[in-house]
Amino acid sequence: MAELKERKKEFKTTVDGIVVDRVYTADEIPENEIDASPPGEYPFTRNIMPAGYRTRLWTMRQYAGFATVEETNKRYKYLYKQGQTGFSVAFHLPTQMGYDSDHPLALPEVGRVGVAIDSLQDMEDLWDGIPLGEVSTSMTINATAPIILAMYIAAAEKQGVAQNQLMGTVQNDLLKEYVARNTYIFAPEPSMRLTTDICGYCAQNMPKWNSISISGYHMREAGATAVQEAAFTLSNGIAYVQAMVDRGMDVDSFAPRFSFFFAAFTNLFEEVAKFRALRRIWARIMKERFNAQNERSMMLKFHVQTGGCTLAEQQPLNNVVRVALQALAAVLGSCQSLHTNSYDEAMALPSEEAVQLALRTQQIIAYESGVADTVDPMGGSYYVEWLTKRIEEGIQKYIATIDGMGGALEAIKRGYMQREIRRSAYNHQKAVDSGEQVMVGVNKYTSDEPPGLELLEIDEGVAQKQIERLKRLRSRRDNDKISQILDRVRQVAGSQENVMPVLIEAVKAYATVGEISDALRDVFGEYKEPSVL
C-alpha cells in the first residue's frame, strides 16, 4: 500500500498533550491495561454509580452572581424557572478577599464579577423566596469560606432549616489559590487549618454538605494541561486528606463528603479519558494509601465547568459550539454536576439570553442526544481505553514527583506546580500565535465583522447602594456585642479550637465579612507571595 500523506507531521491531543496514532486496535491495549470492572464498582473507572444517569441526571448548576443581592436573586429565580436544578454563587472580589464594600481597596470591584455579600443581611436577602431546605447550593469561596458558610447556615436557620438538612458544597480549596487563582489572605499553614476546621465541622454537623471542592479548574484556566490539572488536583486532595488524618479524624468520617471540580476543554476524547483516569486513581489512593474502608470514601464526585479561557471575543457565536462539545465531554465523562459557559462571557458577564442558551445546551444533551441513556458509552473504545491509561500514567508520574518533594504544600512553596503550568501556558500561546494550534475565528477563518451583541452592563451606582446598605446595618446593630464577639474570634483563632461555632455566633450578631477577616488577620497576619522563577 502506498504511504498516505497526512495533513500534519504529528497529531496530539493538545499542544503539550499526548501523541496520537492513526488508528487503535486491540493490539494497542494489553490485557492487563483493560479495566473490565462494571460501573459502580471499585475502582469506578466507568462511573461511581451502577446506573449512571438512568436514575438521576447530573445537577445543572449555572455559576451566577453580580451587582447587588436583589439583582442576583432575580437571576437565580429566572434560572430556576428555566429548569436549573442547583445554584452556584459567584461572590465579588472584596468578599473573596475579606474586605467590606466600603473598604478603599474594594470600591472599584463592588458587584463587578460576583454578588456583593458583606453581612448576614445580604445572605438572607440573596435567598429571599428560595427555600434553602429544598435546593442544592455551591459557593465558590475560599479564603473567607468559614465566614460565608457560617452566614449560609445562619440564613437557613432564619428560614427554619437546620444545618443538618442543608445540601451543597463550599469550595474551601486554598492550596490551588497559591498555584493559580491568588484569592488568598493568610499563609498556607493557617489557611490549611481553616480548611480543615470546615471539613471537621461539616463531618460532625452537616451530613449532606460537601465540605470541600478540590479544584483543578483554575489551574487549567491558568494554562495547565489536562494531565497537570488532574495530577495537581489529586496531589492537593492527598494533602487535605492527610491533614484531616493528622488531626485524628477517621478517614471514612469525612472523605465521603470530599468533592472535586474540573474543567472540560474542547478535545472531547482527552477530557473523557481524563475523567475516567481520575476516578480510577483517586479510588486507589483512598484505598491503598489511606486504608479507607467505606467505598463512598473512594468515589471521586466532581463538578465540571466548560472552559472559560477557550471562549473567544471574535465571532462569539462560535462559543456556542465550543461549549456544547465541552459539555458533551463532561457528560460522557460522567460528571455529577455541570456549568455551561455563556457565549458572551469572553466580553462581559452573561446576559439573560446567553445564560438561557447555555442552560438549554445541557438540557438538549440530557433529553435529546441519547448519551445519558447508557453508562460510560465510550468504554471499550480502543482509543479511549488507550488514552485513559496514558493519562493515568502521566498523572501518577507527577504525583510521584510531588510526593518526592514532601507533598503538595511543599511543592507549592517551591513553586513547582506554578512553573509547570507557566511552561504549558507559554507553549500553548506560542502555538496559537504561530497558527500551529488553530482557533476558528481567532487565528483562522477570521472576520472583520463586529460581533453586534448586546452585553450586560453593571450599574455604576451599585457600589454606592451597597455602601449605604452597610452603613444602615452598622447603625442598627449592637456594636458593643460586635466588639465582644470579635475578641472571641481572635481568641479561638489563636487556639486549637474549631473556628466555625464562634463564626456562626459572630455572623448572627451581624459582624461583617471585613470585620471578621480583620480579626483573623490580627491572629494569622497576611501572606505575601514569594517570587517564583
Side-chain angles (χ1 to χ4, degrees):
M1 183 184 294
E3 185 174 346
L4 297 173
K5 184 177 180 183
E6 298 184 334
R7 58 188 167 85
K8 289 200 288 189
K9 185 178 178 184
E10 189 176 57
F11 289 78
K12 288 184 174 181
T13 52
T14 46
V15 173
D16 273 355
I18 296 168
V19 176
V20 176
D21 287 338
R22 182 183 298 176
V23 68
Y24 289 88
T25 68
D27 294 339
E28 279 80 30
I29 316 289
E31 196 169 324
N32 62 357
E33 288 191 6
I34 297 174
D35 180 359
S37 59
E41 292 188 13
Y42 180 87
F44 309 106
T45 305
R46 305 194 67 184
N47 201 307
I48 61 170
M49 304 303 292
Y53 300 131
R54 289 171 68 97
T55 50
R56 182 179 178 276
L57 289 169
W58 64 93
T59 301
M60 298 180 192
R61 192 191 298 281
Q62 295 299 99
Y63 181 54
F66 60 95
T68 63
V69 288
E70 289 82 5
E71 286 166 275
T72 298
N73 176 271
K74 186 178 169 189
R75 175 63 65 89
Y76 286 174
K77 287 176 177 172
Y78 173 78
L79 285 167
Y80 201 45
K81 190 177 175 184
Q82 298 301 314
Q84 174 174 272
T85 53
F87 294 93
S88 180
V89 185
F91 296 93
H92 75 166
L93 275 175
T95 298
Q96 296 182 49
M97 297 301 293
Y99 296 118
D100 288 334
S101 294
D102 58 355
H103 191 285
L105 290 175
L107 285 175
E109 293 293 339
V110 175
R112 291 286 163 189
V113 298
V115 62
I117 298 287
D118 291 319
S119 72
L120 174 58
Q121 173 187 265
D122 294 329
M123 188 65 86
E124 291 166 2
D125 291 347
L126 180 65
W127 301 107
D128 180 53
I130 300 172
L132 294 182
E134 299 174 15
V135 301
S136 164
T137 302
S138 173
M139 297 192 288
T140 300
I141 197 77
N142 295 280
T144 54
I147 304 167
I148 296 301
L149 179 58
M151 286 183 180
Y152 191 80
I153 291 168
E157 194 176 298
K158 290 247 178 181
Q159 288 190 7
V161 181
Q163 56 184 299
N164 63 6
Q165 296 304 308
L166 294 175
M167 298 175 287
T169 307
V170 63
Q171 195 162 88
N172 189 30
D173 172 13
L174 262 300
L175 290 179
K176 63 94 174 50
E177 296 293 330
Y178 303 104
V179 178
R181 195 161 173 267
N182 299 329
T183 60
Y184 49 75
I185 302 174
F186 314 114
E189 287 81 4
S191 292
M192 185 65 96
R193 179 264 175 95
L194 293 173
T195 293
T196 52
D197 272 3
I198 288 180
C199 295
Y201 183 84
C202 291
Q204 293 175 346
N205 300 283
M206 302 177 73
K208 299 179 181 180
W209 189 268
N210 293 323
S211 58
I212 190 168
S213 176
I214 306 160
S215 306
Y217 181 86
H218 311 92
M219 293 188 275
R220 191 75 183 280
E221 289 276 282
T225 64
V227 169
Q228 289 169 345
E229 175 200 15
F232 298 162
T233 307
L234 293 186
S235 291
N236 289 348
I238 290 168
Y240 289 126
V241 174
Q242 188 61 57
M244 293 296 290
V245 170
D246 291 345
R247 285 178 66 140
M249 299 281 290
D250 180 89
V251 69
D252 289 319
S253 71
F254 62 86
R257 300 312 302 189
F258 272 31
S259 62
F260 291 82
F261 172 26
F262 298 104
F265 278 20
T266 314
N267 189 304
L268 187 142
F269 296 110
E270 182 179 49
E271 296 301 324
V272 173
K274 177 186 77 178
F275 296 130
R276 299 173 91 248
L278 275 162
R279 269 191 298 273
R280 187 152 75 203
I281 296 173
W282 186 246
R284 288 176 175 156
I285 287 170
M286 294 305 293
K287 184 172 184 174
E288 296 169 11
R289 184 186 292 222
F290 292 106
N291 196 29
Q293 303 297 308
N294 183 348
E295 283 207 330
R296 295 186 67 80
S297 300
M298 307 171 202
M299 295 177 180
L300 184 130
K301 306 186 300 287
F302 62 96
H303 172 73
V304 172
Q305 180 167 337
T306 55
C309 72
T310 69
L311 305 182
E313 184 176 349
Q314 300 92 333
Q315 302 179 35
L317 291 180
N318 294 346
N319 295 329
V320 175
V321 182
R322 294 187 177 102
V323 169
L325 285 168
Q326 294 165 5
L328 181 62
V331 172
L332 289 170
S334 304
C335 67
Q336 275 62 57
S337 65
L338 176 61
H339 164 97
T340 34
N341 287 326
S342 300
Y343 63 81
D344 55 359
E345 285 190 59
M347 292 167 281
L349 290 173
S351 66
E352 197 166 273
E353 179 200 27
V355 79
Q356 185 200 57
L357 180 57
L359 179 59
R360 294 285 180 261
T361 303
Q362 293 198 44
Q363 291 163 338
I364 289 169
I365 292 172
Y367 297 106
E368 298 185 21
S369 73
V371 298
D373 294 348
T374 189
V375 187
D376 188 29
M378 306 288 276
S381 153
Y382 296 132
Y383 176 41
V384 170
E385 294 291 351
W386 176 87
L387 193 53
T388 300
K389 185 64 182 175
R390 299 291 82 76
I391 289 177
E392 180 182 4
E393 289 171 349
I395 295 170
Q396 287 176 326
K397 190 175 176 185
Y398 266 120
I399 290 176
T401 300
I402 291 168
D403 281 347
M405 293 179 181
L409 196 58
E410 189 58 35
I412 290 167
K413 286 180 179 176
R414 294 187 193 182
Y416 172 69
M417 296 184 196
Q418 297 93 313
R419 281 193 298 275
E420 287 294 292
I421 292 172
R422 199 172 299 161
R423 175 178 55 77
S424 299
Y426 173 76
N427 290 342
H428 173 77
Q429 191 57 51
K430 194 167 64 170
V432 171
D433 292 344
S434 69
E436 176 192 347
Q437 176 67 54
V438 172
M439 285 195 69
V440 174
V442 176
N443 62 5
K444 196 168 187 177
Y445 309 115
T446 57
S447 168
D448 294 329
E449 291 291 321
L453 296 181
E454 191 171 328
L455 301 177
L456 177 71
E457 293 185 4
I458 303 298
D459 181 355
E460 293 295 327
V462 164
Q464 197 53 43
K465 279 186 198 171
Q466 189 64 19
I467 290 169
E468 289 297 325
R469 184 180 169 88
L470 197 52
K471 193 174 173 184
R472 287 195 297 275
L473 173 83
R474 288 188 176 130
S475 69
R476 289 199 307 262
R477 66 183 188 182
D478 183 341
N479 286 306
D480 288 338
K481 187 176 179 183
I482 294 293
S483 180
Q484 291 168 12
I485 191 63
L486 291 177
D487 282 343
R488 175 80 179 127
V489 168
R490 292 185 190 92
Q491 182 189 342
V492 172
S495 72
Q496 299 298 312
E497 195 177 335
N498 192 308
V499 296
M500 284 305 299
V502 74
L503 293 186
I504 294 170
E505 195 182 337
V507 301
K508 284 182 176 176
Y510 292 94
T512 65
V513 170
E515 291 163 345
I516 298 172
S517 297
D518 282 346
L520 294 173
R521 284 184 179 99
D522 290 343
V523 178
F524 299 135
E526 281 191 291
Y527 181 66
K528 303 294 181 192
E529 184 184 26
S531 297
V532 176
L533 299 176

